[in-house]
Amino acid sequence: MSADRFHLGWFYSKGFGPKAWKHPWAGSAVDRFTKPDMAVDLARAMERAGFDYLMIEDSSNVPYTFQGSHDAYLRNSVDTPKLDPTVLAPFLVAATKHLGVVVTCSTTEYHPFMLARKMNALDHVSDGRIGWNVVTGSNDGGAQNYGRERQFPHDERYDMADEFLELTHRLWDAWEPDAVVLDLEAGVFADGSKVHPVDFEGKYFRCRGPLSSPRSPQGSPVICQAGGSARGRRFAAQWAETIIANAETPEQMKAYRDDVRARAADAGRNPDDIKVLFLACPIIGDTRADAEARLTADLTLTDDRIEYGLAHMSRLSGIDFSKFDLDEPLPKLKSNGHQSMVKALEGKVLRDMLKRAQRFGSDLFVGTAEDVAAVMDEVMQEVGGDGFLMVNSYFSRRYVMEICDGLVPELQKRDLTRTHYEHEHFRDNLLAF
Ligand SMILES: Cc1cc2nc3c(=O)[nH]c(=O)nc-3n(C[C@H](O)[C@H](O)[C@H](O)COP(=O)(O)O)c2cc1C
């Protein structure tokens, strides 16, 4: 028996920035990193393969947590440089017809009105194919670019995000669907009785409203979220329509999904309205041995990779990992950044963790396209749904084609993923099964 159909997304990690740096298949992905080319190719391949969405990651500072300097980050292109993802998104929707495009924007960097307006415009120009990955910030360097010494405390960031979402939804709903009349005979462009100020007075934000533009095709962007801490999951259960999660085993995936579904039900929502996609970094080989050899290479630590991994983990956690012995278990750590990541590191030997610093999710998905499709089927049956978010931190066009034109046709053969889009809008496709 096969699992029900499941969804596919792609995590465009490292955002609108260089890909495949030092990788033999980089091609123009490095020297044309300020152009939309690579992402456009990827978006077209993903649409051909029936993906629900491409999610563009983002962060907005040149980090300096590791060794108190930005040098290692810039030398190795660790999570920097990055251009604004909301500028890339229109190129992707112009190159596709059905694919959802999710952009990452932080609730501690935008004002709710500005964010609501930008998402509304993107949803209009994309004819209803925009999503927003809601993040709250993690690294103090990011806060310093916006005039604050450090990030707000972790749980308070989510309290602020709750209020942010409440206000942006009020703004997105401020124009009734039929407010724009365009009645030349009566001389009415828009009906004022159908456009409502929001007069919002919260603890963190104030806004008069209404939004300066009419309701967009989806009304609001599809809300995507990734925080794995207890507070992060509570936020997701209330607002998210798709959750992207990191889990290594089917048991962990099932526990995560069951937990957010239960929280969503407690919050009065239908858990089926939230699609939880698990990070997967499949390695597809012509033979199983070929794929396994590539996995071994991926997990082999070189000096470059050690520095890369330490710098990356330092940025996410705000902890300078240069101060720990590579071969000793890590002590108890305190972070105001990515708490679920830091929790997973405690007590582990740093060198072992670094081997995985450029891999996400499970190592189960390694083999021929047929092998991997079969394992994905089994895992989804065990977890109960809802799909996978592909990711490969160094990815190249070759990697993307291996997934979209190698793995996905095998998934489609098994009727596990879609062969055509059911609906016009991103949200409707996400809810189609
Ligand atoms: C798959 C995935 C993608 C993420 N993408 C981003 C991102 O683009 N930008 C960002 O600032 N944080 C990103 N995060 C971080 C989360 O939004 C969140 O801040 C982090 O997981 C810490 O949340 P927690 O403390 O609730 O665990 C991502 C996390 C995951 C697991």
Side-chain angles (χ1 to χ4, degrees):
M1 192 193 83
S2 271
D4 289 337
R5 278 193 172 181
F6 57 78
H7 298 269
L8 295 175
W10 199 300
F11 180 34
Y12 199 58
S13 67
K14 296 166 166 298
F16 184 8
K19 309 290 172 210
W21 169 235
K22 290 191 179 169
H23 193 268
W25 288 81
S28 65
V30 174
D31 55 359
R32 285 185 60 79
F33 78 88
T34 59
K35 309 295 172 212
D37 319 1
M38 166 83 178
V40 163
D41 281 355
L42 167 54
R44 287 192 176 125
M46 283 174 46
E47 180 161 277
R48 190 164 68 239
F51 275 61
D52 284 79
Y53 62 87
L54 173 147
M55 188 284 245
I56 313 167
E57 188 261 16
D58 193 38
S59 59
S60 59
N61 67 309
V62 177
Y64 64 90
T65 311
F66 180 67
Q67 296 173 331
S69 159
H70 64 207
D71 288 351
Y73 292 93
L74 292 167
R75 185 167 49 245
N76 301 297
S77 180
V78 185
D79 307 323
T80 194
K82 281 178 196 169
L83 286 79
D84 183 337
T86 65
V87 174
L88 179 59
F91 288 90
L92 307 187
V93 294
T96 54
K97 289 197 173 69
H98 308 284
L99 184 70
V101 175
V102 179
V103 288
T104 298
C105 296
S106 172
T107 52
T108 53
E109 295 174 6
Y110 274 86
H111 186 278
F113 187 88
M114 189 177 183
L115 185 288
R117 185 172 187 231
K118 196 182 274 286
M119 292 297 160
N120 167 278
L122 285 169
D123 201 47
H124 275 295
V125 300
S126 67
D127 284 323
R129 290 196 280 131
I130 281 296
W132 170 29
N133 179 37
V134 183
V135 298
T136 62
S138 51
N139 189 284
D140 286 341
Q144 286 153 13
N145 286 342
Y146 291 87
R148 297 185 305 277
E149 201 42 44
R150 50 185 52 87
Q151 294 288 356
F152 298 105
H154 178 271
D155 284 10
E156 189 177 4
R157 290 205 295 276
Y158 282 112
D159 295 344
M160 295 171 75
D162 275 334
E163 195 178 296
F164 197 114
L165 269 284
E166 198 189 321
L167 171 51
T168 50
H169 277 286
R170 296 262 298 271
L171 287 164
W172 289 320
D173 289 339
W175 290 59
E176 292 182 30
D178 55 353
V180 176
V181 184
L182 302 182
D183 186 341
L184 271 177
E185 259 172 48
V188 178
F189 184 88
D191 179 350
S193 71
K194 295 186 172 171
V195 180
H196 311 283
V198 301
D199 292 324
F200 188 90
E201 296 266 351
K203 182 172 170 195
Y204 303 102
F205 304 109
R206 299 175 67 190
C207 181
R208 182 186 185 276
L211 202 63
S212 45
S213 42
R215 192 180 175 82
S216 68
Q218 294 188 110
S220 57
V222 170
I223 302 294
C224 172
Q225 201 274 348
S229 64
R231 185 64 185 88
R233 291 182 193 201
R234 179 146 68 86
F235 174 82
Q238 185 170 356
W239 301 105
E241 300 174 84
T242 180
I243 294 175
I244 50 182
N246 198 8
E248 286 183 19
T249 65
E251 296 75 35
Q252 288 169 2
M253 292 178 206
K254 182 165 168 34
Y256 196 120
R257 181 172 181 269
D258 288 351
D259 179 60
V260 288
R261 287 173 64 84
R263 287 172 189 265
D266 287 347
R269 295 181 63 198
N270 177 356
D272 291 339
D273 290 349
I274 305 181
K275 305 299 177 191
V276 186
L277 269 52
F278 292 97
L279 288 174
C281 182
I283 301 182
I284 310 296
D286 289 347
T287 63
R288 190 184 284 257
D290 169 32
E292 281 168 1
R294 282 170 65 181
L295 174 64
T296 306
D298 262 15
L299 295 176
T300 303
L301 265 188
T302 56
D303 286 349
D304 256 13
R305 284 201 185 173
I306 291 175
E307 184 170 81
Y308 186 104
L310 290 171
H312 176 68
M313 284 158 53
S314 301
R315 174 182 84 85
L316 294 182
S317 61
I319 298 167
D320 180 0
F321 277 91
S322 68
K323 64 188 182 198
F324 299 115
D325 190 315
L326 285 183
D327 296 301
E328 294 288 328
L330 284 164
K332 222 174 155 30
L333 301 166
K334 201 163 174 315
S335 165
N336 192 32
H338 287 209
Q339 301 206 339
S340 38
M341 180 197 91
V342 167
K343 211 154 162 250
L345 293 174
E346 277 175 7
K348 307 271 172 46
V349 173
L350 200 44
R351 192 182 296 277
D352 295 339
M353 299 313 283
L354 286 170
K355 287 184 187 155
R356 299 201 55 81
Q358 287 197 65
R359 276 193 66 74
F360 300 87
S362 169
D363 281 342
L364 287 170
F365 311 122
V366 177
T368 63
E370 229 179 327
D371 294 337
V372 174
V375 177
M376 288 193 148
D377 187 358
E378 276 168 36
V379 168
M380 271 298 119
Q381 286 187 53
E382 199 172 332
V383 175
D386 302 292
F388 295 103
L389 186 74
M390 301 297 172
V391 58
N392 178 309
S393 56
Y394 57 78
F395 66 71
S396 57
R397 286 178 173 83
R398 168 174 131 163
Y399 183 73
V400 174
M401 296 312 146
E402 285 169 348
I403 300 297
C404 294
D405 300 307
L407 172 61
V408 172
E410 286 298 330
L411 294 171
Q412 289 168 332
K413 249 190 236 167
R414 291 167 176 261
D415 199 23
L416 293 171
T417 60
R418 67 159 64 83
T419 51
H420 66 278
Y421 291 86
E422 300 79 9
H423 300 284
E424 200 181 329
H425 295 161
F426 173 17
R427 177 175 290 114
D428 294 335
N429 283 317
L430 197 59
L431 291 175
F433 46 86

